[in-house]
Each structure stands twice: as C-alpha cells, then as structure tokens.
Amino acid sequence: QVQLVESGGGLVQPGGSLRLGCESSGSIFNIDIMAWYRQAPGQQRELVAGIMHDGTARYGDFVQGRFTISRDNTRNTMTLQMDSLRPEDTAVYFCQAVTWYEEIYWGQGTQVTVSS
C-alpha cells in the first residue's frame, strides 16, 4: 500500500505561481512512476505531468513549458512548480503513484484556483 498526501494548493492571480507537493509513505520502494493529474468541474481527469523513477518527465500539451515536475526518491516527495498560471488551470490537482506491479494510488487532491 502507498499513501499520498498533497499540499500547496490555493488561490493565485493569473500570471502567478504555485508549488504543489506530494509526500508518499508506505510501500514507497515499489513506486515506479509518479504523476500529477487535474480535474476541473464537469471535465475528465487529465495528465498534467509525470516522472519516472529515473527522472524522465513528460507533460500535458497544455503545459507549454510553464510547469516543472521533480522528484526526490530519498525524501519520497514529488513537486510541481507551476508558473504563469491561467484561469483555465483552475482544478483539483491529484498526486498519483504507479508501482512496479502496476498498482495505482491517488492522493485526496488539492484545489488550485486561478482568479483575479
């Protein structure tokens, strides 16, 4: 079992920045991929960014260089630095972990609101 806890959401003005954190616990040595997803009201959950155990990262097309995902395997943490935020980035952001056995775990989510 893997437990995930997100932090760092909140309200920010357009053009501003936020840094999201995800701390993992439990069977952390089984974690292969970690990722951030988001879900806006009435929308499907979509991939924001993912990072493999070796640090290889990929991003959703809408990111357009504004976000940076990172991971510290020694501290069991993952972060998402979000810059140049737009109102359309408003959503609940979820941390996800995928183990080597293809088990999928989710955090409870953290709200990000971009509004003036």
Side-chain angles (χ1 to χ4, degrees), residues 34 42 58 60 62 76 79-80 82 89-90 96 99 104 110:
M34 297 192 75
R58 60 172 290 197
F62 60 86
N76 312 317
T79 61
L80 183 69
M82 302 189 294
D89 293 317
T90 296
Q96 182 203 60
T99 71
I104 299 174
T110 185

Side-chain angles (χ1 to χ4, degrees), residues 30-47:
N30 291 331
I31 296 175
D32 176 19
I33 300 169
M34 297 192 75
W36 289 97
Y37 281 75
R38 72 183 187 183
Q39 187 167 19
Q43 302 295 318
Q44 289 190 334
R45 194 170 294 190
E46 62 180 350
L47 175 69

Side-chain angles (χ1 to χ4, degrees), residues 3-5 22-26 28-29 31 34 71-78:
Q3 293 79 44
L4 303 170
V5 178
C22 176
E23 183 171 355
S24 58
S25 61
I28 57 174
F29 298 107
I31 296 175
M34 297 192 75
R71 176 175 177 176
D72 187 335
N73 293 326
T74 62
R75 297 185 177 185
N76 312 317
T77 58
M78 175 180 64

Side-chain angles (χ1 to χ4, degrees), residues 50-61:
I51 185 166
M52 299 182 70
H53 193 270
D54 65 0
T56 303
R58 60 172 290 197
Y59 297 88
D61 291 341

Side-chain angles (χ1 to χ4, degrees), residues 66-110:
R66 300 179 296 127
F67 301 172
T68 303
I69 190 171
S70 61
R71 176 175 177 176
D72 187 335
N73 293 326
T74 62
R75 297 185 177 185
N76 312 317
T77 58
M78 175 180 64
T79 61
L80 183 69
Q81 177 66 40
M82 302 189 294
D83 300 317
S84 302
L85 283 161
R86 305 165 180 166
E88 54 265 37
D89 293 317
T90 296
V92 178
Y93 285 68
F94 296 91
C95 174
Q96 182 203 60
V98 182
T99 71
W100 301 102
Y101 308 103
E102 301 183 346
E103 300 160 317
I104 299 174
Y105 297 92
W106 294 94
Q108 81 286 354
T110 185

